[in-house]
DNA sequence: GTTGGTGCAAATTTTTTGCACTCAG
DNA sequence: CTGAGTGCAAAAAATTTGCACCAAC
């Protein structure tokens, strides 16, 4: 559906850096790239199957580690069942996860810019906030004043 | 060392709400309370042992779930090996985790107030940011311009 | 006395590791 | 060619579940 976001250029750069572009690496990247969404390890495995590219779980784990290392994907804990992986592209965004109903709303990245500035200025810290998850109560649930969250799980998790 | 932060009052409230205060629950709470720090499931188990209160892993998991549910502890993914649990007390704070050297600096909670306001105002979202972890490069590493992080793992994780 | 919580054992799920083989560069 | 990456099998870790028994209220 979507045009590839990871450019050939990026891959070339990696090759030049001495990274090996194997078939499994390309395929996992392709899956994440096309979905553009957060995928769990399981999602990735399933997507690969459907693409006729079934591969060993161990390999999937290793490839995901590699993709993180070279900075192509982010790893986020949305508080739910599992950790999710996602392509890091220009459409950087974050999520507001409702603790009560579990709904997820997208949060524009520039909302975090003031925070970034503060961290740089006051903490000498260069933030890399690729994919954040913030928890709380959504519009609907905050008025209903639901006190016992159905989603009792996480509050925020971004990785890299 | 530290004075108990969880007040008798809190426990009474829970009892009134119909929550059962069993020995395992008290003990786990005690451990988290005294440490005041982030503990992994394993840390908790070990601390219990040392306190002569060894208990089954299944129970530890169940108790931690319960503590989250009743809102006494937060669950955070600091990006490292494991998820950590921590008492939610008045000294709410967050962490800046260096992706390069792994150092962790404490972040004052009120730094997040502007963000909270924005979320309330623009997103109708009532944030519950109990214990956030933000990733990036610390003072030292940002100047050294280290490109290949040693800690290649997470970026941010807060739970509840 | 009830009901929910615990301990124990077993099952599941998730993730890692050793090793021979293959392929990218 | 040569080493890093892969597949496979097996191990290790982490987490969950069923059930009989016990304890909180």
């Amino acid at each position: 559906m979507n045009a590839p976001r990871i450019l050939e250029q990026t891959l070339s750069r990696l090759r030049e850096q001495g990274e090996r572009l194997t078939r499994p690496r390309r395929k996992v990247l392709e899956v994440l790239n096309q979905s553009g969404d957060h995928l769990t390890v399981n999602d990735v495995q399933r997507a690969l199957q459907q693409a006729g590219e079934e591969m060993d779980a161990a390999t999937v784990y290793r490839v995901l580690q590699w993709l993180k290392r070279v900075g192509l994907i982010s790893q986020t804990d949305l508080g739910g069942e599992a950790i999710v992986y996602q392509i890091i592209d220009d459409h950087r965004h974050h999520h507001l996860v409702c603790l009560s109903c579990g709904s997820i709303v997208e949060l524009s990245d520039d909302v975090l810019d003031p925070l970034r500035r503060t961290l740089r200025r006051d903490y000498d810290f260069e933030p890399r906030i690729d994919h954040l998850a913030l928890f709380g109560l959504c519009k609907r649930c905050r008025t209903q004043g639901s006190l016992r969250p159905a989603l009792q799980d996480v509050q925020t998790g971004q990785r890299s």
Side-chain angles (χ1 to χ4, degrees), chain A:
Chain A
M1 281 290 93
N2 295 314
R5 306 164 196 215
I6 295 293
L7 313 133
E8 271 310 314
Q9 193 186 352
T10 306
L11 296 180
S12 302
R13 180 175 56 77
L14 286 178
R15 213 174 301 129
E16 283 160 21
Q17 289 177 210
E19 298 291 346
R20 288 196 175 184
L21 300 184
T22 64
R23 181 179 185 91
R25 288 178 174 181
R26 285 172 184 282
K27 290 305 177 184
V28 170
L29 193 48
E30 211 167 278
V31 158
L32 285 163
N33 203 25
Q34 293 193 343
S35 132
D37 213 359
H38 326 95
L39 301 184
T40 64
V41 173
N42 241 302
D43 293 336
V44 172
Q45 286 184 295
R46 217 171 313 122
L48 286 169
Q49 272 190 318
Q50 294 188 338
E53 284 289 337
E54 191 158 3
M55 78 180 57
D56 195 76
T59 303
V60 174
Y61 279 100
R62 287 184 285 222
V63 169
L64 287 172
Q65 265 183 281
W66 176 78
L67 287 168
K68 273 194 298 174
R69 184 161 53 75
V70 299
L72 293 186
I73 66 174
S74 68
Q75 183 190 41
T76 308
D77 188 341
L78 284 180
E81 346 279 69
I83 284 167
V84 294
Y85 300 83
Q86 174 171 38
I87 283 283
I88 296 176
D89 58 9
D90 30 300
H91 174 52
R92 184 156 59 171
H93 67 285
H94 311 275
H95 290 95
L96 301 176
V97 183
C98 180
L99 289 166
S100 179
C101 68
S103 69
I104 298 182
V105 173
E106 198 171 292
L107 175 69
S108 164
D109 181 61
D110 42 86
V111 169
L112 297 178
D113 285 340
L115 176 60
R116 290 197 177 93
R117 274 193 290 278
T118 305
L119 294 179
R120 277 192 275 262
R121 181 163 37 87
D122 299 348
Y123 288 84
D124 258 319
F125 188 82
E126 177 58 38
R128 273 208 210 144
I129 312 179
D130 292 330
H131 190 209
L132 189 65
L134 293 171
F135 297 77
L137 295 178
C138 72
K139 184 191 297 197
R140 194 145 39 93
C141 296
R142 77 187 289 197
T143 57
Q144 294 183 358
S146 45
L147 286 178
R148 190 87 330 138
L151 178 69
Q152 34 134 306
D153 227 346
V154 176
Q155 270 214 18
T156 196
Q158 172 198 342
R159 299 191 166 209
S160 175

